[in-house]
Amino acid sequence: MKRILSSAGGSVVTLQTGGEVLSLIKSHAFGRVFMDAKLPDIEGLELARQVHKLVPSLQVVLVSGYYYKDDPTIQQALSAGLIYDFIAKPFTHNDILKML
């Protein structure tokens, strides 16, 4: 994903844990966050809730091989504004690029 986003001219920061995400968004401005639904230290939807509390305008795109776009949990997160959009794995380059 980093290679796809970088090839589009974006500035990309990669992190491994939800704790790193929460720490960094407190001190840096981001326009969009692509995050996996399964992280080592926190579920992606819970992280999306915490991110939304800290920076309500930040667009979170959840990426998952566990959930699907028509999953009620994902639909609820979209309706509540916790996530901006959802991409199912496996994804194509175009799936990622159209989120930009």
Side-chain angles (χ1 to χ4, degrees), residues 24-68:
L24 199 61
I25 65 167
K26 290 177 184 177
S27 60
H28 293 78
F30 295 96
R32 189 161 299 137
V33 173
F34 289 81
M35 74 172 64
D36 201 288
K38 302 291 182 184
L39 299 169
D41 61 340
I42 190 170
E43 290 289 321
L45 286 171
E46 177 55 33
L47 179 58
R49 283 183 193 86
Q50 292 182 29
V51 165
H52 186 69
K53 285 180 186 176
L54 291 171
V55 187
S57 62
L58 185 57
Q59 296 177 342
V60 173
V61 178
L62 192 69
V63 181
S64 177
Y66 180 77
Y67 294 108
Y68 295 93

